[in-house]
C-alpha cells in the first residue's frame, strides 16, 4: 500500500497508524529543526490513548495493532499532525494511535531525538485485568 502522497511504501510500526503496545508508553520528542507538513510530521489520533472498553477490545482482538485491524477507527474521532519549529520539545503517550506521515518531497529528511518510558505491560495483562 502506498502512502497518502504516493511517494513511499507504508511500513508497519512507522507510516501505518499504529500503537505502541505497552502501558504506559510515553515518548519525549526533541526536534532541533523545523518539521513542517512536507517533512513527515507525527500524526496522532486524538483520544486514542484513553483506556476504555473500545481500547481494551481493540487490543484483545488486534493482530497488527495498527489501522489495518478492524475497529481501529473506533478509538478516535480526529487526527492531528504535529509540526514543529526549531528547537521544540513535546510529549506524547504513544500507546495511542500514531504514525510518521510520508515525506512529500523525495529524499527529504527530518531530525528528531526521543526518549521513551515503557513499563512492561502486554496483551496478556488485558485478559488478567478484566
Amino acid at each position: 500500500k502506498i502512502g497518502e502522497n504516493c511517494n513511499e511504501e507504508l511500513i508497519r510500526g512507522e507510516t501505518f497508524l499504529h500503537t505502541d503496545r505497552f502501558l504506559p508508553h510515553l515518548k519525549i520528542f526533541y526536534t532541533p529543526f523545523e518539521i513542517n507538513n512536507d517533512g513527515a510530521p507525527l500524526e496522532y489520533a486524538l483520544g486514542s490513548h484513553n483506556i476504555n472498553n473500545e481500547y481494551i477490545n481493540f487490543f484483545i482482538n488486534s493482530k497488527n495493532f495498527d489501522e489495518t485491524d478492524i475497529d481501529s477507527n473506533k478509538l478516535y474521532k480526529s487526527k492531528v499532525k504535529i509540526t514543529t519549529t526549531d528547537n521544540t520539545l513535546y510529549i506524547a503517550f504513544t500507546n495511542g494511535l500514531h504514525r510518521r506521515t510520508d515525506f512529500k518531497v523525495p529524499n527529504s529528511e527530518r531530525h528528531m531525538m526521543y526518549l521513551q518510558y515503557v513499563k512492561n505491560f502486554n496483551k496478556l495483562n488485558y485478559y488478567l485485568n478484566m
Side-chain angles (χ1 to χ4, degrees), residues 68-104:
T68 64
D69 286 309
I70 295 174
D71 295 334
S72 65
N73 61 343
K74 288 184 177 180
L75 299 180
Y76 66 94
K77 297 214 184 315
S78 63
K79 297 179 281 187
V80 63
K81 290 182 182 175
I82 311 298
T83 58
T84 67
T85 58
D86 293 350
N87 199 31
T88 297
L89 183 75
Y90 65 96
I91 300 170
F93 280 105
T94 57
N95 52 290
L97 292 167
H98 63 283
R99 73 183 191 113
R100 173 188 65 77
T101 60
D102 53 338
F103 287 97
K104 292 183 180 175

mmCIF file of all heavy atoms in Angstrom, residues 68-104:
data_model
loop_
_atom_site.group_PDB
_atom_site.id
_atom_site.type_symbol
_atom_site.label_atom_id
_atom_site.label_comp_id
_atom_site.label_asym_id
_atom_site.label_seq_id
_atom_site.Cartn_x
_atom_site.Cartn_y
_atom_site.Cartn_z
ATOM 1 N N THR A 68 -4.879 -1.318 10.124
ATOM 2 C CA THR A 68 -5.406 -2.407 9.311
ATOM 3 C C THR A 68 -6.321 -3.337 10.106
ATOM 4 O O THR A 68 -7.011 -4.155 9.522
ATOM 5 C CB THR A 68 -4.266 -3.233 8.670
ATOM 6 O OG1 THR A 68 -3.501 -3.865 9.699
ATOM 7 C CG2 THR A 68 -3.370 -2.354 7.809
ATOM 8 N N ASP A 69 -6.309 -3.219 11.429
ATOM 9 C CA ASP A 69 -7.197 -4.030 12.259
ATOM 10 C C ASP A 69 -8.611 -3.458 12.250
ATOM 11 O O ASP A 69 -8.807 -2.239 12.244
ATOM 12 C CB ASP A 69 -6.687 -4.082 13.705
ATOM 13 C CG ASP A 69 -5.471 -4.966 13.854
ATOM 14 O OD1 ASP A 69 -5.517 -6.116 13.384
ATOM 15 O OD2 ASP A 69 -4.487 -4.514 14.447
ATOM 16 N N ILE A 70 -9.580 -4.362 12.280
ATOM 17 C CA ILE A 70 -10.987 -3.951 12.323
ATOM 18 C C ILE A 70 -11.216 -3.123 13.581
ATOM 19 O O ILE A 70 -10.681 -3.405 14.643
ATOM 20 C CB ILE A 70 -11.901 -5.191 12.323
ATOM 21 C CG1 ILE A 70 -11.742 -5.941 11.005
ATOM 22 C CG2 ILE A 70 -13.353 -4.822 12.562
ATOM 23 C CD1 ILE A 70 -12.476 -7.255 10.942
ATOM 24 N N ASP A 71 -12.002 -2.097 13.454
ATOM 25 C CA ASP A 71 -12.432 -1.238 14.561
ATOM 26 C C ASP A 71 -11.352 -0.302 15.107
ATOM 27 O O ASP A 71 -11.551 0.317 16.141
ATOM 28 C CB ASP A 71 -13.028 -2.054 15.714
ATOM 29 C CG ASP A 71 -14.310 -2.773 15.319
ATOM 30 O OD1 ASP A 71 -14.987 -2.282 14.380
ATOM 31 O OD2 ASP A 71 -14.633 -3.795 15.929
ATOM 32 N N SER A 72 -10.202 -0.183 14.450
ATOM 33 C CA SER A 72 -9.199 0.766 14.943
ATOM 34 C C SER A 72 -9.735 2.191 14.914
ATOM 35 O O SER A 72 -9.390 2.998 15.769
ATOM 36 C CB SER A 72 -7.906 0.672 14.127
ATOM 37 O OG SER A 72 -8.128 1.079 12.788
ATOM 38 N N ASN A 73 -10.622 2.482 13.959
ATOM 39 C CA ASN A 73 -11.174 3.841 13.857
ATOM 40 C C ASN A 73 -12.171 4.171 14.969
ATOM 41 O O ASN A 73 -12.558 5.318 15.133
ATOM 42 C CB ASN A 73 -11.796 4.075 12.484
ATOM 43 C CG ASN A 73 -12.942 3.128 12.206
ATOM 44 O OD1 ASN A 73 -13.101 2.109 12.866
ATOM 45 N ND2 ASN A 73 -13.729 3.461 11.204
ATOM 46 N N LYS A 74 -12.577 3.184 15.774
ATOM 47 C CA LYS A 74 -13.467 3.454 16.909
ATOM 48 C C LYS A 74 -12.715 4.098 18.077
ATOM 49 O O LYS A 74 -13.328 4.576 19.012
ATOM 50 C CB LYS A 74 -14.122 2.161 17.403
ATOM 51 C CG LYS A 74 -15.175 1.620 16.469
ATOM 52 C CD LYS A 74 -15.835 0.402 17.073
ATOM 53 C CE LYS A 74 -16.952 -0.109 16.181
ATOM 54 N NZ LYS A 74 -17.592 -1.295 16.772
ATOM 55 N N LEU A 75 -11.392 4.107 18.028
ATOM 56 C CA LEU A 75 -10.593 4.641 19.129
ATOM 57 C C LEU A 75 -10.446 6.156 19.093
ATOM 58 O O LEU A 75 -9.972 6.745 20.045
ATOM 59 C CB LEU A 75 -9.193 4.009 19.122
ATOM 60 C CG LEU A 75 -9.129 2.494 19.297
ATOM 61 C CD1 LEU A 75 -7.682 2.034 19.265
ATOM 62 C CD2 LEU A 75 -9.785 2.070 20.590
ATOM 63 N N TYR A 76 -10.837 6.797 17.996
ATOM 64 C CA TYR A 76 -10.632 8.243 17.879
ATOM 65 C C TYR A 76 -11.661 8.862 16.949
ATOM 66 O O TYR A 76 -12.313 8.174 16.172
ATOM 67 C CB TYR A 76 -9.222 8.529 17.361
ATOM 68 C CG TYR A 76 -8.984 8.061 15.943
ATOM 69 C CD1 TYR A 76 -9.152 8.926 14.869
ATOM 70 C CD2 TYR A 76 -8.607 6.753 15.662
ATOM 71 C CE1 TYR A 76 -8.949 8.498 13.572
ATOM 72 C CE2 TYR A 76 -8.397 6.319 14.374
ATOM 73 C CZ TYR A 76 -8.576 7.196 13.331
ATOM 74 O OH TYR A 76 -8.380 6.773 12.042
ATOM 75 N N LYS A 77 -11.785 10.187 17.047
ATOM 76 C CA LYS A 77 -12.696 10.924 16.174
ATOM 77 C C LYS A 77 -11.945 11.768 15.146
ATOM 78 O O LYS A 77 -12.434 12.028 14.063
ATOM 79 C CB LYS A 77 -13.613 11.814 17.010
ATOM 80 C CG LYS A 77 -14.504 11.028 17.949
ATOM 81 C CD LYS A 77 -15.841 11.696 18.114
ATOM 82 C CE LYS A 77 -16.749 11.035 19.092
ATOM 83 N NZ LYS A 77 -16.891 9.634 19.068
ATOM 84 N N SER A 78 -10.730 12.206 15.496
ATOM 85 C CA SER A 78 -9.965 13.025 14.566
ATOM 86 C C SER A 78 -8.470 12.802 14.770
ATOM 87 O O SER A 78 -8.050 12.216 15.766
ATOM 88 C CB SER A 78 -10.302 14.510 14.746
ATOM 89 O OG SER A 78 -9.939 14.930 16.044
ATOM 90 N N LYS A 79 -7.695 13.262 13.790
ATOM 91 C CA LYS A 79 -6.237 13.139 13.850
ATOM 92 C C LYS A 79 -5.630 14.532 13.718
ATOM 93 O O LYS A 79 -6.229 15.428 13.127
ATOM 94 C CB LYS A 79 -5.723 12.253 12.714
ATOM 95 C CG LYS A 79 -6.229 10.819 12.786
ATOM 96 C CD LYS A 79 -5.724 9.981 11.634
ATOM 97 C CE LYS A 79 -6.543 10.261 10.404
ATOM 98 N NZ LYS A 79 -6.244 9.377 9.286
ATOM 99 N N VAL A 80 -4.436 14.683 14.269
ATOM 100 C CA VAL A 80 -3.731 15.953 14.190
ATOM 101 C C VAL A 80 -2.277 15.677 13.798
ATOM 102 O O VAL A 80 -1.703 14.673 14.219
ATOM 103 C CB VAL A 80 -3.812 16.735 15.527
ATOM 104 C CG1 VAL A 80 -3.140 15.981 16.654
ATOM 105 C CG2 VAL A 80 -3.239 18.122 15.393
ATOM 106 N N LYS A 81 -1.723 16.539 12.960
ATOM 107 C CA LYS A 81 -0.312 16.448 12.603
ATOM 108 C C LYS A 81 0.465 17.399 13.502
ATOM 109 O O LYS A 81 0.072 18.552 13.681
ATOM 110 C CB LYS A 81 -0.094 16.794 11.137
ATOM 111 C CG LYS A 81 -0.653 15.743 10.219
ATOM 112 C CD LYS A 81 -0.400 16.058 8.764
ATOM 113 C CE LYS A 81 -1.032 14.976 7.911
ATOM 114 N NZ LYS A 81 -0.938 15.281 6.492
ATOM 115 N N ILE A 82 1.575 16.908 14.050
ATOM 116 C CA ILE A 82 2.389 17.695 14.969
ATOM 117 C C ILE A 82 3.564 18.269 14.197
ATOM 118 O O ILE A 82 4.572 17.591 13.978
ATOM 119 C CB ILE A 82 2.902 16.838 16.152
ATOM 120 C CG1 ILE A 82 1.768 16.026 16.787
ATOM 121 C CG2 ILE A 82 3.634 17.701 17.158
ATOM 122 C CD1 ILE A 82 0.650 16.842 17.376
ATOM 123 N N THR A 83 3.417 19.501 13.746
ATOM 124 C CA THR A 83 4.529 20.190 13.107
ATOM 125 C C THR A 83 5.273 20.968 14.189
ATOM 126 O O THR A 83 4.707 21.277 15.234
ATOM 127 C CB THR A 83 4.031 21.150 12.003
ATOM 128 O OG1 THR A 83 3.129 22.090 12.581
ATOM 129 C CG2 THR A 83 3.337 20.380 10.890
ATOM 130 N N THR A 84 6.540 21.245 13.940
ATOM 131 C CA THR A 84 7.334 21.919 14.961
ATOM 132 C C THR A 84 8.178 23.029 14.356
ATOM 133 O O THR A 84 8.474 23.022 13.164
ATOM 134 C CB THR A 84 8.291 20.939 15.672
ATOM 135 O OG1 THR A 84 9.289 20.495 14.748
ATOM 136 C CG2 THR A 84 7.553 19.743 16.237
ATOM 137 N N THR A 85 8.562 23.947 15.201
ATOM 138 C CA THR A 85 9.554 24.951 14.837
ATOM 139 C C THR A 85 10.912 24.433 15.305
ATOM 140 O O THR A 85 11.001 23.375 15.938
ATOM 141 C CB THR A 85 9.247 26.303 15.512
ATOM 142 O OG1 THR A 85 9.215 26.106 16.924
ATOM 143 C CG2 THR A 85 7.894 26.849 15.062
ATOM 144 N N ASP A 86 11.962 25.160 15.016
ATOM 145 C CA ASP A 86 13.293 24.790 15.505
ATOM 146 C C ASP A 86 13.264 24.686 17.030
ATOM 147 O O ASP A 86 12.542 25.428 17.698
ATOM 148 C CB ASP A 86 14.323 25.862 15.133
ATOM 149 C CG ASP A 86 14.572 25.951 13.641
ATOM 150 O OD1 ASP A 86 14.106 25.080 12.890
ATOM 151 O OD2 ASP A 86 15.255 26.904 13.228
ATOM 152 N N ASN A 87 14.040 23.748 17.548
ATOM 153 C CA ASN A 87 14.266 23.647 18.996
ATOM 154 C C ASN A 87 12.967 23.408 19.785
ATOM 155 O O ASN A 87 12.663 24.122 20.732
ATOM 156 C CB ASN A 87 14.987 24.900 19.494
ATOM 157 C CG ASN A 87 15.637 24.684 20.832
ATOM 158 O OD1 ASN A 87 16.068 23.585 21.147
ATOM 159 N ND2 ASN A 87 15.714 25.730 21.622
ATOM 160 N N THR A 88 12.216 22.384 19.390
ATOM 161 C CA THR A 88 10.937 22.078 20.028
ATOM 162 C C THR A 88 11.018 20.765 20.801
ATOM 163 O O THR A 88 11.610 19.789 20.340
ATOM 164 C CB THR A 88 9.818 21.965 18.969
ATOM 165 O OG1 THR A 88 9.668 23.221 18.321
ATOM 166 C CG2 THR A 88 8.487 21.559 19.587
ATOM 167 N N LEU A 89 10.390 20.748 21.967
ATOM 168 C CA LEU A 89 10.274 19.550 22.794
ATOM 169 C C LEU A 89 8.782 19.290 22.992
ATOM 170 O O LEU A 89 8.036 20.193 23.341
ATOM 171 C CB LEU A 89 10.946 19.783 24.157
ATOM 172 C CG LEU A 89 10.987 18.612 25.117
ATOM 173 C CD1 LEU A 89 12.048 17.606 24.674
ATOM 174 C CD2 LEU A 89 11.308 19.109 26.523
ATOM 175 N N TYR A 90 8.327 18.064 22.736
ATOM 176 C CA TYR A 90 6.936 17.733 23.011
ATOM 177 C C TYR A 90 6.830 16.298 23.530
ATOM 178 O O TYR A 90 7.739 15.493 23.372
ATOM 179 C CB TYR A 90 6.018 17.976 21.810
ATOM 180 C CG TYR A 90 6.257 17.127 20.596
ATOM 181 C CD1 TYR A 90 5.528 15.973 20.370
ATOM 182 C CD2 TYR A 90 7.175 17.519 19.620
ATOM 183 C CE1 TYR A 90 5.721 15.207 19.238
ATOM 184 C CE2 TYR A 90 7.376 16.762 18.483
ATOM 185 C CZ TYR A 90 6.644 15.610 18.297
ATOM 186 O OH TYR A 90 6.835 14.851 17.173
ATOM 187 N N ILE A 91 5.715 16.014 24.184
ATOM 188 C CA ILE A 91 5.493 14.734 24.863
ATOM 189 C C ILE A 91 4.225 14.094 24.308
ATOM 190 O O ILE A 91 3.234 14.777 24.088
ATOM 191 C CB ILE A 91 5.346 14.951 26.385
ATOM 192 C CG1 ILE A 91 6.621 15.581 26.946
ATOM 193 C CG2 ILE A 91 5.028 13.646 27.093
ATOM 194 C CD1 ILE A 91 6.496 16.056 28.378
ATOM 195 N N ALA A 92 4.267 12.766 24.108
ATOM 196 C CA ALA A 92 3.089 12.046 23.626
ATOM 197 C C ALA A 92 2.998 10.688 24.308
ATOM 198 O O ALA A 92 4.013 10.038 24.541
ATOM 199 C CB ALA A 92 3.161 11.855 22.117
ATOM 200 N N PHE A 93 1.768 10.279 24.625
ATOM 201 C CA PHE A 93 1.521 8.911 25.076
ATOM 202 C C PHE A 93 1.322 8.085 23.811
ATOM 203 O O PHE A 93 0.267 8.132 23.194
ATOM 204 C CB PHE A 93 0.277 8.828 25.966
ATOM 205 C CG PHE A 93 0.538 9.253 27.371
ATOM 206 C CD1 PHE A 93 0.090 10.480 27.831
ATOM 207 C CD2 PHE A 93 1.248 8.419 28.226
ATOM 208 C CE1 PHE A 93 0.344 10.872 29.131
ATOM 209 C CE2 PHE A 93 1.503 8.813 29.535
ATOM 210 C CZ PHE A 93 1.046 10.036 29.991
ATOM 211 N N THR A 94 2.336 7.336 23.408
ATOM 212 C CA THR A 94 2.283 6.629 22.134
ATOM 213 C C THR A 94 1.627 5.258 22.238
ATOM 214 O O THR A 94 1.714 4.473 21.308
ATOM 215 C CB THR A 94 3.685 6.536 21.497
ATOM 216 O OG1 THR A 94 4.568 5.883 22.414
ATOM 217 C CG2 THR A 94 4.205 7.908 21.133
ATOM 218 N N ASN A 95 0.957 4.977 23.365
ATOM 219 C CA ASN A 95 0.067 3.837 23.378
ATOM 220 C C ASN A 95 -1.223 4.216 22.645
ATOM 221 O O ASN A 95 -2.055 3.363 22.370
ATOM 222 C CB ASN A 95 -0.232 3.331 24.790
ATOM 223 C CG ASN A 95 -0.702 4.410 25.737
ATOM 224 O OD1 ASN A 95 0.083 5.271 26.111
ATOM 225 N ND2 ASN A 95 -1.963 4.373 26.124
ATOM 226 N N GLY A 96 -1.358 5.481 22.263
ATOM 227 C CA GLY A 96 -2.420 5.929 21.374
ATOM 228 C C GLY A 96 -1.962 5.743 19.931
ATOM 229 O O GLY A 96 -0.770 5.621 19.652
ATOM 230 N N LEU A 97 -2.915 5.713 19.003
ATOM 231 C CA LEU A 97 -2.581 5.524 17.589
ATOM 232 C C LEU A 97 -1.800 6.723 17.047
ATOM 233 O O LEU A 97 -2.200 7.867 17.226
ATOM 234 C CB LEU A 97 -3.857 5.324 16.777
ATOM 235 C CG LEU A 97 -4.612 4.024 17.054
ATOM 236 C CD1 LEU A 97 -6.008 4.081 16.435
ATOM 237 C CD2 LEU A 97 -3.842 2.832 16.521
ATOM 238 N N HIS A 98 -0.711 6.436 16.356
ATOM 239 C CA HIS A 98 0.145 7.485 15.805
ATOM 240 C C HIS A 98 0.930 6.926 14.624
ATOM 241 O O HIS A 98 0.976 5.721 14.414
ATOM 242 C CB HIS A 98 1.105 8.010 16.882
ATOM 243 C CG HIS A 98 2.055 6.974 17.374
ATOM 244 N ND1 HIS A 98 1.675 5.981 18.267
ATOM 245 C CD2 HIS A 98 3.362 6.748 17.099
ATOM 246 C CE1 HIS A 98 2.701 5.202 18.519
ATOM 247 N NE2 HIS A 98 3.748 5.634 17.823
ATOM 248 N N ARG A 99 1.535 7.826 13.868
ATOM 249 C CA ARG A 99 2.370 7.412 12.744
ATOM 250 C C ARG A 99 3.247 8.562 12.301
ATOM 251 O O ARG A 99 2.998 9.711 12.652
ATOM 252 C CB ARG A 99 1.525 6.947 11.570
ATOM 253 C CG ARG A 99 0.827 8.093 10.845
ATOM 254 C CD ARG A 99 -0.058 7.576 9.726
ATOM 255 N NE ARG A 99 -0.520 8.670 8.890
ATOM 256 C CZ ARG A 99 -0.159 8.846 7.626
ATOM 257 N NH1 ARG A 99 0.648 7.984 7.037
ATOM 258 N NH2 ARG A 99 -0.603 9.862 6.926
ATOM 259 N N ARG A 100 4.247 8.220 11.534
ATOM 260 C CA ARG A 100 5.020 9.226 10.814
ATOM 261 C C ARG A 100 4.352 9.353 9.463
ATOM 262 O O ARG A 100 4.188 8.373 8.746
ATOM 263 C CB ARG A 100 6.477 8.776 10.641
ATOM 264 C CG ARG A 100 7.251 9.731 9.738
ATOM 265 C CD ARG A 100 8.628 9.230 9.389
ATOM 266 N NE ARG A 100 8.711 8.030 8.582
ATOM 267 C CZ ARG A 100 8.515 7.946 7.269
ATOM 268 N NH1 ARG A 100 8.148 9.014 6.566
ATOM 269 N NH2 ARG A 100 8.664 6.806 6.637
ATOM 270 N N THR A 101 3.930 10.546 9.121
ATOM 271 C CA THR A 101 3.344 10.734 7.800
ATOM 272 C C THR A 101 4.442 10.580 6.762
ATOM 273 O O THR A 101 5.628 10.634 7.072
ATOM 274 C CB THR A 101 2.672 12.124 7.678
ATOM 275 O OG1 THR A 101 3.649 13.129 7.898
ATOM 276 C CG2 THR A 101 1.533 12.272 8.675
ATOM 277 N N ASP A 102 4.034 10.404 5.507
ATOM 278 C CA ASP A 102 5.068 10.229 4.496
ATOM 279 C C ASP A 102 5.653 11.575 4.066
ATOM 280 O O ASP A 102 5.044 12.629 4.238
ATOM 281 C CB ASP A 102 4.576 9.412 3.308
ATOM 282 C CG ASP A 102 3.308 9.920 2.668
ATOM 283 O OD1 ASP A 102 2.551 10.647 3.318
ATOM 284 O OD2 ASP A 102 3.076 9.591 1.510
ATOM 285 N N PHE A 103 6.863 11.521 3.557
ATOM 286 C CA PHE A 103 7.544 12.717 3.075
ATOM 287 C C PHE A 103 6.896 13.162 1.770
ATOM 288 O O PHE A 103 6.650 12.350 0.885
ATOM 289 C CB PHE A 103 9.031 12.433 2.833
ATOM 290 C CG PHE A 103 9.828 12.285 4.089
ATOM 291 C CD1 PHE A 103 10.110 11.034 4.610
ATOM 292 C CD2 PHE A 103 10.306 13.402 4.753
ATOM 293 C CE1 PHE A 103 10.845 10.890 5.767
ATOM 294 C CE2 PHE A 103 11.044 13.274 5.919
ATOM 295 C CZ PHE A 103 11.319 12.017 6.427
ATOM 296 N N LYS A 104 6.628 14.444 1.646
ATOM 297 C CA LYS A 104 6.033 14.964 0.419
ATOM 298 C C LYS A 104 7.091 15.324 -0.608
ATOM 299 O O LYS A 104 6.786 15.455 -1.782
ATOM 300 C CB LYS A 104 5.162 16.186 0.734
ATOM 301 C CG LYS A 104 3.935 15.820 1.540
ATOM 302 C CD LYS A 104 3.055 17.018 1.784
ATOM 303 C CE LYS A 104 1.848 16.613 2.597
ATOM 304 N NZ LYS A 104 1.017 17.746 2.960
#
